[in-house]
Amino acid sequence: MFQAALAILWGPLAVGALPEAVGVEKIVFAAREPGAGSHWYENFGYYAQDAGAKAFRARGRLCRLDLRTGEMTVLLDDPAGSVRDPQVHYDGQRILFSYRPGGTDFFHLYEIQADGRGLRQLTFGPYDDIEPTWLPDGRIMFCSSRCKRWVNCWFTQVAVLYTCDAWGQDIRPISANIEHDNTPWPMPDGRVIYTRWEYVDRSRVSFHHLWTANPDGTNQMVYFGNLHPGTVMIDAKPVPESDQVVAIFSPGHGKKEHAGAVTLVTPKAGPDQQASARQISRGDDYRDPYPLSADWFLVAQGSRILLMNREGETRALYRLPADLAKAGVECHEPRPLAARPREPVIPPRIAPTQATGRLILSDVHLGRRMEGVRRGEIKKLLVLETLPKPFNESGKMPPMSFGGTYTLERVLGTVPVEPDGSAYMELPALRSLFFVALDEHNNSVKRMMSFLTVMPGETTSCVGCHEQRTHSPRSADRAVLAALRRGPSPIEPIEGVPDVLDFVRDVQPILDRHCVRCHDPARRDGRVVLAGDRGPIYSHSYYTLTALGYVSDGRDRLVTNLPPRAIGTSASPLMTLLDGRHYDARLSAREQDIVRYWIESGAAYPGTYAALGTGMIGGYPKSQLDTSDRSWPSSVAAAEAIGRRCLGCHDKSMPVPRFLSDDLGLVLANPDPNDVRIRWSRHLMFNLTRPEQSLILLAPLAAQHGGYGLCRPKDRGRVPAPVFADTRDPDYQAILALCREGKAHLDRIKRFDMPGFRPDPMYVREMKRFGILPRDYRPDQPIDVYATDQAYWRSLWWAPSN
């Protein structure tokens, strides 16, 4: 499996080749093949579509290099396994690392002596434990897939922060992130700096920045960059004898294996000043910087270990043998093999026996982008929770939303805001929570586009709404915050509103009662359809409300910290149509609340993750557009009919779909409601509940035969006639046949709201793996997917311990 303490000399450096200021004689590093995928996090576990398809590769080695003599010692060699993330203990004698032995599927934490002896495994189980670091109190922090969740926009698993003792026992979660945490490292003041990826109502590929926390998970706080999209900031470490950290800034959504530009960050001006980051490398293909001093850094680049100075000049310290480099093996994570001082120990602030923590808000009116918000205008805070996915099968959002959320959000309830703007609340521990500031009508004033977590027993505070991180609480004309004159407010549930809303189950019945009599396909007042008839992926009503801009949700946008009332119910035209002023469409208070909190909780289409990968024609089951419908005989005939009868007018300036899967080239990320392709989209043109009511049939059909008579091709010298004079037209019948076949196909494959629906086998597999469904559960057995989701989420909640 492996060889220990095998000494081989590979190209020794000349003695004295290193600058004296470096002060390091030996280093350790890992060598391995890079992960199978293109994302920075795609290097452990298996892929959702096939548990036999692994994201990891092999040819793992843990190596020790004497920089003075060039002597190379392979401490561990496992051609079928993988080695990563070495971290040297404070005593300089032990090496902590993550290792997947050949023939096994999981990375676990291991420890080995600096001379290659005493290899021992610390953690166990069907999970991946990676990126460990020693903490000053003797515990270990690492990232782990024990969190039992999947990337919301990809088909690999998530790892978040955990700690354990030096023997791998007493494993505790310290993060509730539903996306990745990465590369924790101790700071000189005892805190830990790490990377946090998040996308609460904003782009899923652009917000992965530097955060800090105490070693027990308390005091989680942004360190740098969270307002600025477009960079993965990772592998951060404090620079000795300075107030800077060095990190990799990997461009865009990040390059493979954390590759990027070596960058120095000075945090004095706060986390939002982009000028505080200075790239020092001359390129963006470096990895794993380790600061030896304020002027010298170890870095990895491909098959080499380099020494880099503050000006980006490099000197090669080591290169892998040609055969390994040719095979794709790369060097990773160079660290000095030397003793170092411990950071101060921050006393624990958690109480594991408690299920909650407490948050104090000083003044909700203070913060960034709060222009125009009057004192006293904010009456309460809506508390929401982003919910992890038990599996995922796509890099796109369907069917969760059209161009919006990838994630379900739970409505926990509200807490009051005092007249002075303060709030004091009790929150469930270790949950991914965020707030919406509400006015007296329960409409949104300001929306939090990040999340916070309180640890068990923690009491923490914030200055204001999207507070300025460089500001401290202001001393107003008050001795005590009004909210602190009482105990913490419990979250008050919203009566009559489901905690996880489902559009079809909860919102559509309201539209049926109040809207469909005017907005059915047969009548289509205002060219708006609000009937619940199914299209290829969504219902017509859901698509209309979200794609055409009647609802203002977060979308998948490269923006954050929007102005007040720019998102949510206050910015949603739908809410102004439901108070009785729009043709007497007067909803009850409960009905308005359901619509209101559906919008505030992300405006998702299904209320269950079991919908993923199911009930879609032209969906995205494997990150690529499924166009299998185009091979149907009816599709070929219908496409020809549409080409003959429609494309003369519907050219590129006003295109219409020719297949059920024809997206007209529309990009799903933050689509523009004014794009003509939105209004002529397949999601509205094809009716798979009542095929005869398909817009692609009604628009060109003569009014006297039940159509709209809208499509009248120009005929010189004559009054334009409808495309289809009646339903007997062969081309009309060809298009109708496609719509009917689409309905029959959907009736077979089932959507989440249809009788007999069955979730994707991947959903069942993971729910069995997580212990939510019994191991002997059979695909033909009944399943309540909503209850199964709820049981999965509850299984992740913090359980107070004695």
Side-chain angles (χ1 to χ4, degrees):
M1 183 183 299
F2 64 86
Q3 297 174 323
L6 174 63
I8 308 174
L9 294 181
W10 286 329
L13 292 168
V15 176
L18 288 174
E20 283 297 325
V22 170
V24 172
E25 295 185 358
K26 297 179 181 179
I27 64 171
V28 296
F29 64 93
R32 62 181 178 274
E33 294 174 324
S38 59
H39 297 97
W40 90 88
Y41 53 82
E42 202 174 340
N43 50 28
F44 68 87
Y46 57 85
Y47 289 95
Q49 298 93 334
D50 180 3
K54 311 300 183 183
F56 56 77
R57 289 181 174 166
R59 294 178 177 264
R61 287 183 172 182
L62 180 65
C63 304
R64 186 184 72 216
L65 174 68
D66 190 315
L67 298 179
R68 301 300 176 184
T69 67
E71 181 182 7
M72 175 63 153
T73 303
V74 179
L75 304 177
L76 188 152
D77 185 13
D78 189 345
S82 190
V83 176
R84 54 179 296 170
D85 315 316
Q87 159 70 301
V88 178
H89 190 266
Y90 295 100
D91 62 14
Q93 300 300 311
R94 292 177 283 162
I95 304 166
L96 176 67
F97 63 103
S98 183
Y99 174 38
R100 181 193 60 78
T104 68
D105 289 340
F106 298 102
F107 285 92
H108 290 114
L109 304 188
Y110 283 75
E111 185 184 76
I112 195 171
Q113 299 298 315
D115 60 5
R117 295 180 299 176
L119 178 70
R120 69 184 181 103
Q121 185 173 348
L122 301 180
T123 60
F124 300 83
Y127 313 103
D128 288 284
D129 302 324
I130 60 173
E131 299 174 350
T133 187
W134 292 103
L135 297 173
D137 64 356
R139 291 181 66 81
I140 297 167
M141 186 177 289
F142 59 102
C143 300
S144 179
S145 66
R146 297 168 188 270
C147 57
K148 301 177 183 177
R149 59 202 62 177
W150 289 70
V151 173
N152 277 225
C153 59
W154 202 239
F155 22 81
T156 53
Q157 296 171 62
V158 165
V160 303
L161 296 177
Y162 281 74
T163 64
C164 66
D165 64 24
W167 296 271
Q169 305 298 307
D170 189 27
I171 296 175
R172 301 179 185 177
I174 64 167
S175 170
N177 197 355
I178 66 170
E179 288 293 357
H180 277 279
D181 299 323
N182 283 98
T183 59
W185 201 270
M187 296 282 283
D189 61 4
R191 292 178 299 159
V192 173
I193 190 168
Y194 64 99
T195 299
R196 179 164 113 173
W197 180 19
E198 59 174 34
Y199 43 95
V200 178
D201 299 330
R202 54 184 182 171
S203 170
R204 87 274 189 203
V205 295
S206 299
F207 295 92
H208 5 58
H209 298 104
L210 298 179
W211 289 69
T212 59
N214 293 342
D216 63 355
T218 58
N219 196 33
Q220 295 181 21
M221 183 74 66
V222 64
Y223 183 83
F224 189 78
N226 198 40
L227 281 187
H228 303 295
T231 306
V232 176
M233 302 176 185
I234 200 162
D235 287 301
K237 301 172 188 67
V239 176
E241 301 175 359
S242 78
D243 60 356
Q244 297 180 314
V245 299
V246 65
I248 288 293
F249 277 32
S250 194
H253 189 38
K255 298 174 71 173
K256 190 170 184 171
E257 292 287 355
H258 306 192
V262 181
T263 304
L264 290 174
V265 177
T266 305
K268 283 184 176 180
D272 306 326
Q273 297 300 317
Q274 291 178 286
S276 296
R278 182 176 73 87
Q279 178 177 330
I280 64 172
S281 63
R282 301 174 182 180
D284 61 1
D285 59 345
Y286 298 94
R287 298 188 305 274
D288 311 311
Y290 191 104
L292 300 174
S293 68
D295 298 309
W296 296 100
F297 308 88
L298 293 171
V299 297
Q301 183 192 49
S303 60
R304 302 189 300 167
I305 301 294
L306 308 175
L307 185 66
M308 179 181 290
N309 65 17
R310 293 177 69 91
E311 304 308 316
E313 299 169 327
T314 61
R315 177 182 301 181
L317 300 179
Y318 172 73
R319 184 190 300 271
L320 285 172
D323 60 329
L324 291 179
K326 186 176 181 180
V329 179
E330 297 179 341
C331 293
H332 295 265
E333 300 106 18
R335 322 287 197 219
L337 185 59
R340 57 192 171 91
R342 291 179 187 260
E343 301 81 12
V345 174
I346 299 176
R349 293 168 48 190
I350 64 169
T353 58
Q354 297 185 25
T356 62
R358 285 153 295 282
L359 174 67
I360 302 165
L361 170 63
S362 176
D363 189 346
V364 73
H365 306 98
L366 300 179
R368 298 167 290 198
R369 302 302 302 271
M370 294 298 287
E371 57 266 26
V373 179
R374 303 183 309 276
R375 284 208 162 268
E377 184 176 356
I378 297 172
K379 303 298 185 182
K380 61 182 74 170
L381 298 177
L382 176 65
V383 184
L384 296 165
E385 176 184 9
T386 60
L387 296 171
K389 281 185 173 178
F391 89 110
N392 197 48
E393 42 64 65
S394 171
K396 304 296 183 181
M397 67 282 290
M400 300 311 300
S401 72
F402 179 81
T405 186
Y406 289 72
T407 308
L408 291 175
E409 297 171 359
R410 185 198 304 277
V411 178
L412 274 70
T414 62
V415 294
V417 172
E418 300 295 337
D420 67 350
S422 64
Y424 181 29
M425 67 201 78
E426 189 163 20
L427 301 173
L430 274 166
R431 306 267 283 276
S432 180
L433 306 176
F434 67 104
F435 304 123
V436 180
L438 302 178
D439 63 16
E440 60 182 338
H441 302 296
N442 292 329
N443 289 326
S444 58
V445 177
K446 181 73 172 179
R447 189 175 183 89
M448 184 175 173
M449 302 181 78
S450 182
F451 75 90
L452 64 82
T453 297
V454 295
M455 296 297 290
E458 178 185 12
T459 297
T460 189
S461 63
C462 55
V463 175
C465 189
H466 285 264
E467 68 185 36
Q468 297 279 5
R469 297 296 187 178
T470 54
H471 293 179
S472 59
R474 298 180 183 178
S475 57
D477 297 329
R478 56 192 178 186
V480 180
L481 298 176
L484 294 182
R485 297 190 180 112
R486 53 169 173 78
S489 299
I491 298 173
E492 183 69 28
I494 300 170
E495 185 176 357
V497 176
D499 61 344
V500 180
L501 286 128
D502 182 286
F503 179 84
V504 178
R505 181 193 65 199
D506 302 318
V507 179
Q508 187 61 51
I510 298 172
L511 302 178
D512 291 342
R513 286 191 291 271
H514 298 280
C515 307
V516 170
R517 66 180 178 269
C518 298
H519 298 292
D520 187 80
R523 184 166 170 178
R524 194 169 166 261
D525 284 9
R527 297 188 176 186
V528 170
V529 175
L530 294 178
D533 294 15
R534 300 181 185 94
I537 294 180
Y538 314 98
S539 70
H540 287 180
S541 53
Y542 178 82
Y543 178 82
T544 296
L545 292 176
T546 57
L548 300 185
Y550 289 94
V551 166
S552 176
D553 58 359
R555 304 279 88 185
D556 188 19
R557 294 184 290 183
L558 288 170
V559 293
T560 189
N561 192 25
L562 297 171
R565 302 188 183 276
I567 187 174
T569 47
S570 290
S572 296
L574 176 63
M575 295 304 297
T576 65
L577 303 175
L578 303 179
D579 59 4
R581 290 177 291 178
H582 179 70
Y583 297 98
D584 297 323
R586 188 178 299 278
L587 276 61
S588 69
R590 177 181 177 276
E591 289 173 326
Q592 288 201 40
D593 276 349
I594 287 176
V595 176
R596 171 178 291 108
Y597 294 115
W598 168 69
I599 295 172
E600 297 297 4
S601 59
Y605 179 41
T608 171
Y609 285 137
L612 294 168
T614 64
M616 296 186 288
I617 300 174
Y620 300 81
K622 296 180 180 178
S623 81
Q624 297 179 353
L625 181 64
D626 176 8
T627 58
S628 57
D629 64 292
R630 301 189 185 196
S631 64
W632 301 348
S634 64
S635 288
V636 176
E640 292 174 350
I642 293 169
R644 281 191 296 268
R645 308 301 288 276
C646 304
L647 297 190
C649 295
H650 289 278
D651 56 13
K652 291 183 179 180
S653 66
M654 192 170 57
V656 293
R658 296 196 295 164
F659 307 92
L660 297 181
S661 62
D662 187 356
D663 261 327
L664 303 176
L666 195 66
V667 177
L668 283 179
N670 190 28
D672 181 0
N674 297 314
D675 190 322
V676 67
R677 293 172 295 177
I678 293 288
R679 289 197 172 272
W680 295 99
S681 166
R682 65 191 180 103
H683 301 299
L684 283 178
M685 297 295 283
F686 299 109
N687 189 321
L688 306 187
T689 299
R690 295 177 285 174
E692 293 81 0
Q693 297 293 305
S694 293
L695 180 59
I696 201 165
L697 293 172
L698 293 175
L701 179 62
Q704 61 266 35
H705 288 281
Y708 303 152
L710 295 176
C711 297
R712 296 172 178 264
K714 297 178 180 179
D715 191 350
R716 184 176 300 173
R718 298 183 181 181
V719 176
V723 172
F724 298 135
D726 57 47
T727 60
R728 294 173 296 178
D729 189 295
D731 284 340
Y732 175 96
Q733 289 294 322
I735 300 170
L736 176 60
L738 169 62
C739 298
R740 285 173 171 169
E741 185 165 0
K743 178 184 186 304
H745 182 73
L746 185 56
D747 287 342
R748 287 192 299 271
I749 65 174
K750 307 293 184 186
R751 192 166 292 172
F752 67 94
D753 61 327
M754 299 172 68
F757 167 75
R758 308 297 303 175
D760 191 288
M762 291 182 280
Y763 175 90
V764 173
R765 180 195 68 208
E766 294 304 302
M767 287 300 195
K768 291 169 71 172
R769 183 167 78 95
F770 297 152
I772 308 304
L773 291 175
R775 284 284 182 180
D776 59 356
Y777 174 82
R778 301 189 313 273
D780 61 338
Q781 289 181 277
I783 183 172
D784 182 338
V785 294
Y786 295 93
T788 304
D789 275 7
Q790 292 282 3
Y792 161 69
W793 293 320
R794 285 195 301 272
S795 75
L796 305 175
W797 292 357
W798 172 252
S801 58
N802 293 324

